[in-house]
């Protein structure tokens, strides 16, 4: 189990400052400062650099944070194993995903698994890829299902499948009949995009920067893919997305997907992620096998 000092230390790492950590933990900032100072005395090294914008880990702090996260994960998993042995409560599997995948991919997979394992419960947390990977590192979720270009340190990719980004529009849009379009072809039309932090927005922003021609008309943006879908289905804009993001209207013909000519848009993958050092409980490991099997046997065939 983590000591109070280690718990306070990890909360400062997560929150970015002693003040915010104190607010989250409902304790006085001075109590957190004392515990962090005690850890630094024990380690014989500074764990943070105090900067105007907050606390930044030193190399020693990064090493201690990695250790503390592993201890926290192991403790949580041991407790869950004990509870499952006693049948004291349902085994809860915590999943992180973006909104579109949670809506279009997960429901049949979760439903099929729970039909076979009624003692399992699911919690689904919605977030951008960066939020999902951070929650994995913090042990606040067990498995992440996220579009990604680079999962980053501390994340193990258990499975991935290519999920290219397409231009999505209504069938009577002037570009809808083309076999492919370039990003420049979209300059003349209103565009609807999810907010920064999503892989689609990162790819668009990096590809659009410094290009020739008139500026892009980003007429609509939202942190909700449902809002973007409604705007595009109404014919007000083109969006960029994986086909699975808008699977239902694409199958019905309400929307069409057109390939993008820039190769970078074809390189995005949908990944099943866990924390690198996580010791997964048996129930979680079994579900991940089920999830990978479902994804590899056609759940994403319409997005290939």
């Amino acid at each position: 189990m983590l000591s109070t000092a280690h718990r306070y230390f990890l909360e400062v790492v997560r929150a970015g400052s002693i003040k915010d950590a104190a607010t989250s933990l409902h304790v006085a900032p001075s109590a957190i400062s004392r515990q962090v100072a005690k850890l630094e005395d024990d380690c014989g090294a500074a764990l943070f650099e105090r900067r105007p914008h907050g606390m930044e880990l030193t190399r020693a702090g990064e090493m201690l944070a990695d250790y503390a996260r592993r201890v926290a994960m192991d403790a949580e998993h041991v407790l869950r194993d004990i509870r499952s042995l006693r049948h004291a409560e349902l085994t809860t599997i915590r999943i992180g995903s973006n909104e579109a995948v949670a809506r279009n991919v997960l429901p049949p997979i979760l439903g099929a698994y729970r039909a076979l394992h009624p003692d399992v419960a699911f919690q689904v947390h919605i977030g951008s890829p960066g939020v999902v990977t951070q929650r994995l590192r913090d042990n606040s979720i067990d498995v992440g299902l996220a579009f990604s270009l680079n999962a980053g340190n501390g994340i193990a990719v258990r499975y991935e499948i290519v999920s290219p980004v397409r231009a999505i529009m209504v069938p009577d849009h002037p570009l809808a009949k083309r076999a492919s379009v370039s990003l420049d072809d979209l300059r003349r039309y209103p565009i609807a995009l999810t907010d920064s932090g999503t892989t689609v927005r990162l790819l668009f922003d990096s590809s659009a920067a410094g290009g020739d021609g008139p500026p892009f008309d980003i007429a609509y943006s939202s942190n909700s893919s449902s809002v973007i879908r409604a705007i595009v289905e109404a014919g007000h804009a083109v969006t960029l997305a994986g086909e699975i993001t808008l699977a239902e209207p694409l199958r019905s013909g309400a929307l069409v997907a057109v390939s993008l000519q820039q190769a970078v848009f074809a390189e995005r993958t949908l990944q099943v992620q866990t924390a690198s050092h996580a010791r997964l409980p048996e129930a979680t490991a079994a579900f991940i096998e089920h999830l990978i099997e479902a994804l590899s046997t056609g759940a994403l065939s319409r997005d290939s």
Side-chain angles (χ1 to χ4, degrees):
M1 303 296 178
L2 284 180
S3 67
T4 298
H6 285 97
R7 287 194 299 106
Y8 286 9
F9 165 73
L10 279 182
E11 188 59 28
V12 175
V13 174
R14 189 198 67 79
S17 72
I18 287 177
K19 179 181 177 182
D20 290 342
T23 300
S24 176
L25 293 170
H26 305 290
V27 299
S30 59
I32 294 182
S33 294
R34 286 195 299 272
Q35 293 295 340
V36 171
K38 179 179 181 299
L39 281 178
E40 290 181 323
D41 286 343
D42 292 343
C43 294
L47 300 176
F48 294 100
E49 292 183 11
R50 277 70 172 174
R51 299 185 180 275
H53 60 272
M55 309 280 278
E56 186 172 315
L57 284 172
T58 63
R59 178 61 184 145
E62 290 175 353
M63 294 172 66
L64 183 61
D66 287 343
Y67 164 78
R69 287 177 182 131
R70 290 197 299 271
V71 172
M73 288 179 190
D74 287 345
E76 174 67 20
H77 295 151
V78 167
L79 287 174
R80 283 204 227 166
D81 286 345
I82 292 172
R83 290 174 187 140
S84 65
L85 286 174
R86 295 175 57 194
H87 300 286
E89 59 183 35
L90 292 174
T91 298
T92 300
I93 299 173
R94 304 165 301 172
I95 304 169
S97 172
N98 76 358
E99 179 188 358
V101 172
R103 183 180 62 242
N104 291 301
V105 177
L106 281 177
I109 294 175
L110 302 187
Y113 191 78
R114 199 169 191 280
L116 298 173
H117 304 276
D119 56 335
V120 170
F122 293 101
Q123 292 178 354
V124 180
H125 301 269
I126 303 300
S128 67
V131 170
V132 169
T133 55
Q134 187 56 51
R135 286 189 169 189
L136 285 169
R137 294 188 186 101
D138 292 344
N139 192 38
S140 58
I141 61 173
D142 305 304
V143 56
L145 186 59
F147 293 115
S148 183
L149 299 171
N150 179 11
N153 295 332
I155 300 299
V157 178
R158 301 287 179 131
Y159 180 78
E160 63 181 335
I161 187 168
V162 175
S163 179
V165 176
R166 314 289 197 196
I168 309 290
M169 62 201 77
V170 289
D172 59 355
H173 191 279
L175 300 178
K177 303 301 182 185
R178 294 197 186 183
S180 66
V181 295
S182 69
L183 211 57
D184 283 340
D185 291 329
L186 304 181
R187 290 182 185 272
R188 294 181 293 149
Y189 305 100
I191 298 173
L193 291 174
T194 47
D195 290 341
S196 59
T198 63
T199 55
V200 166
R201 192 58 183 262
L202 291 170
L203 286 170
F204 175 84
D205 288 346
S206 62
S207 299
D212 296 329
F216 289 93
D217 179 11
I218 310 300
Y220 310 94
S221 64
S222 175
N223 64 349
S224 169
S225 63
S226 297
V227 171
I228 298 298
R229 167 180 168 169
I231 290 168
V232 174
E233 284 188 300
H236 299 316
V238 177
T239 193
L240 304 183
E243 292 180 50
I244 197 168
T245 304
L246 297 163
E248 180 184 346
L250 288 171
R251 284 197 303 269
S252 69
L255 295 175
V256 297
V258 181
S259 296
L260 289 162
Q261 293 169 4
Q262 285 87 346
V264 67
F265 290 104
E267 297 172 358
R268 187 188 66 162
T269 61
L270 180 63
Q271 297 179 347
V272 177
Q273 303 170 346
T274 61
S276 297
H277 301 293
R279 188 184 67 83
L280 297 175
E282 183 178 341
T284 304
F287 169 72
I288 289 174
E289 290 183 9
H290 170 83
L291 174 62
I292 292 172
E293 177 68 17
L295 296 177
S296 64
T297 56
L300 298 183
S301 60
R302 55 186 175 275
D303 192 41
S304 59

